[in-house]
Amino acid sequence: MSDDSFLIQRILQGDSAAYEEIVRCYQQRLFNTMVHILGSKEDAEDVVQESFVQAYLKLGSFQGNSAFYTWLYRISFNIAISHRRRRKKVHSIDQVREDIGNEPVDRGEGPGHRLEQQESVRQVHEAIGKLTEEHRDVLVLRELEGMDYDRIADVLELPVGTVRSRLHRARTHLKECLEVMIAQSERGTS
């Protein structure tokens, strides 16, 4: 019996401390993914909180056909999709940077390297933000969460072939967008 299965049994028997363990185990990882999916820390916090509430309420229906984590992600993605439909799209890169923060930089390099690195991070975030939602979702799950195709298919409730196709298109569009942005930035500095 896996740790999750053991905790689920304890929760179903009324042990609230077991649910706290589940939340501690998955909260940060789920939050990080939702920040990338939604583009906002505040939206991600709301979605993650609602996801854990819904998972708790629906725990009796969890059949164990997939990993608990996959089931929790599916709940979270459904809530995120609903949330995205309700909110306005963020257009300002400054707002996105404020919401999700800058990536950490290597303190061992000189200031020029750090500026280049920050610019690269900004460009990647901007390019990811330009992808369609279906492409962004599959790219985040694969490249940032490290999920395999089968797990992504489970989470998004798609055939594996569709996952592969969307991921290929997402990578292609991301590459094209970054090439344009780099060319524009090089023209601006010359």
Side-chain angles (χ1 to χ4, degrees):
M1 182 180 258
S2 73
D3 288 344
D4 286 348
S5 297
F6 178 69
L7 288 172
I8 290 167
Q9 289 304 314
R10 286 178 42 204
I11 295 164
L12 291 173
Q13 293 169 358
D15 184 352
S16 61
Y19 198 68
E20 290 175 22
E21 286 183 52
I22 289 273
V23 171
R24 269 195 306 274
C25 182
Y26 295 120
Q27 186 174 27
Q28 192 60 47
R29 186 171 179 193
L30 190 61
F31 172 76
N32 290 338
T33 301
M34 290 300 111
V35 168
H36 288 288
I37 295 297
L38 296 167
S40 161
K41 286 181 180 179
E42 289 78 19
D43 290 343
E45 287 171 357
D46 292 344
V47 166
V48 169
Q49 181 177 4
E50 188 174 343
S51 298
F52 279 110
V53 169
Q54 289 299 315
Y56 182 79
L57 295 173
K58 297 176 182 178
L59 194 57
S61 69
F62 176 64
Q63 298 175 354
N65 297 334
S66 63
F68 175 77
Y69 186 61
T70 302
W71 183 74
L72 178 62
Y73 256 81
R74 183 69 231 157
I75 290 171
S76 191
F77 261 87
N78 286 337
I79 293 169
I81 288 166
S82 296
H83 190 81
R84 281 196 299 213
R85 287 180 185 143
R86 289 190 305 258
R87 73 171 172 89
K88 293 179 184 174
K89 209 171 191 178
V90 176
H91 293 288
S92 164
I93 270 301
D94 293 330
Q95 182 65 45
V96 170
R97 180 176 289 127
E98 182 180 311
D99 286 343
I100 64 175
N102 291 322
E103 297 292 321
V105 294
D106 181 2
R107 302 287 179 211
E109 299 290 335
H113 176 75
R114 281 191 297 242
L115 288 173
E116 289 173 9
Q117 195 174 29
Q118 287 174 342
E119 177 62 14
S120 295
V121 167
R122 184 198 65 77
Q123 288 174 331
V124 170
H125 280 289
E126 184 177 346
I128 289 172
K130 290 182 179 181
L131 295 175
T132 64
E133 290 175 0
E134 66 183 19
H135 290 153
R136 184 172 45 242
D137 291 349
V138 76
L139 186 75
V140 166
L141 290 176
R142 177 69 180 166
E143 302 301 340
L144 299 178
E145 284 300 309
M147 289 186 181
D148 63 29
Y149 296 122
D150 291 329
R151 194 165 205 183
I152 295 169
D154 285 344
V155 167
L156 297 178
E157 296 179 341
L158 296 170
V160 173
T162 302
V163 169
R164 290 179 188 274
S165 172
R166 286 185 184 178
L167 186 58
H168 174 74
R169 285 192 206 109
R171 287 173 175 157
T172 300
H173 291 191
L174 184 66
K175 181 181 178 222
E176 290 169 354
C177 187
L178 286 170
E179 286 172 348
V180 167
M181 293 168 73
I182 290 168
Q184 288 174 341
S185 93
E186 288 174 353
R187 279 193 297 254
T189 58
S190 43

